[in-house]
Amino acid sequence: MIGVDGQRPTRAPVGWVRLVAVAVWVAAWVVAVPATPVAGCEADGYFVFEKITNVASELSWWDRDSCASAAATRTWRAGSGRSTDECKKGSGWLPDGVYDTRGQWQDFNGKVIDGRVIRLQDQQCYNRTWRTGLFIHSEEANATSDDCEGTGADRPYCWDGDVDYLSQGCIKLANDHGAVPAADDIGEADLYWRDRGGSPVEGPQTLPGKLHVRTRR
């Protein structure tokens, strides 16, 4: 083919054309992924708990704001219950559904739970049994220490390892100041909650739809 000036047009090397095409595709992909959080958009993240087993399920934080769709940004190993029957009071894992939160505390002092907690609403399971007293928590004495005195494989205020992922139905995360080396998953989840769309306010507070629970099929 001869151009209007009587010269054959030059053709870019094939490798260069491919490189430019890849660069354009990558640029388009980066633009398509929303920044989190987006400037000028209100953060409104939430937790998703995916039930797999009682001691090895997944709690994820999903970032969401008023300008972009939701996407999972961080996932932690978590446990719930001692049975996979969600209607079994005191041992079944957390029922599927969408939960409101009822508040969060850094140094909660309850009858059986201490330390960092997020309180969940009561929830009905598939046969309409109410599950109550539900939290996201660890096994610790307070936000900075465990009480690992005494003996036994499962001390109530000490992270003793995999056995501590079991619960009466709550969601449980590891902490880093127990008898067994572990990541401070409860601390990191707490930071995500406070900074990315939960609430920094300590004490009773109802926030709608902040936990989504589902069973992995």
Side-chain angles (χ1 to χ4, degrees):
M1 177 180 176
I2 304 300
V4 294
D5 59 356
Q7 302 294 322
R8 291 185 180 275
T10 58
R11 178 179 294 177
V14 174
W16 174 253
V17 173
R18 289 175 177 170
L19 181 61
V20 171
V22 170
V24 171
W25 179 85
V26 170
W29 182 85
V30 171
V31 171
V33 177
T36 304
V38 178
C41 302
E42 183 179 353
D44 187 27
Y46 59 94
F47 287 115
V48 173
F49 181 54
E50 190 166 27
K51 299 183 296 184
I52 306 168
T53 72
N54 293 116
V55 299
S57 293
E58 293 179 351
L59 180 69
S60 300
W61 180 261
W62 284 58
D63 273 320
R64 176 179 63 184
D65 58 46
S66 57
C67 306
S69 58
T73 55
R74 186 73 173 91
T75 298
W76 305 274
R77 177 183 174 181
S80 180
R82 297 172 181 271
S83 163
T84 57
D85 181 353
E86 66 179 39
C87 289
K88 195 171 184 179
K89 281 192 170 185
S91 63
W93 61 7
L94 205 64
D96 287 357
V98 178
Y99 291 68
D100 299 345
T101 55
R102 300 300 194 203
Q104 66 90 15
W105 291 262
Q106 290 296 291
D107 286 307
F108 188 74
N109 184 15
K111 293 180 179 179
V112 295
I113 299 170
D114 285 356
R116 294 163 288 186
V117 306
I118 297 174
R119 179 70 187 266
L120 307 174
Q121 69 168 76
D122 297 341
Q123 185 79 313
Q124 283 185 305
C125 64
Y126 62 83
N127 69 10
R128 305 189 68 80
T129 295
W130 281 99
R131 300 296 306 279
T132 61
L134 304 173
F135 294 83
I136 299 172
H137 69 100
S138 187
E139 285 200 12
E140 58 184 2
N142 53 57
T144 58
S145 66
D146 285 12
D147 180 0
C148 295
E149 297 295 325
T151 59
D154 188 12
R155 290 162 288 190
Y157 305 108
C158 176
W159 191 260
D160 289 302
D162 286 355
V163 66
D164 285 338
Y165 284 107
L166 296 170
S167 74
Q168 296 181 15
C170 298
I171 297 173
K172 291 179 73 176
L173 298 168
N175 70 68
D176 66 351
H177 40 254
V180 174
D184 190 26
D185 292 340
I186 185 66
E188 190 173 23
D190 177 70
L191 288 175
Y192 271 71
W193 171 259
R194 288 168 167 267
D195 296 342
R196 303 174 80 104
S199 174
V201 176
E202 187 168 354
Q205 180 185 31
T206 296
L207 296 176
K210 286 299 183 179
L211 173 67
H212 297 226
V213 179
R214 62 196 183 204
T215 304
R216 180 177 291 183
R217 304 299 182 185

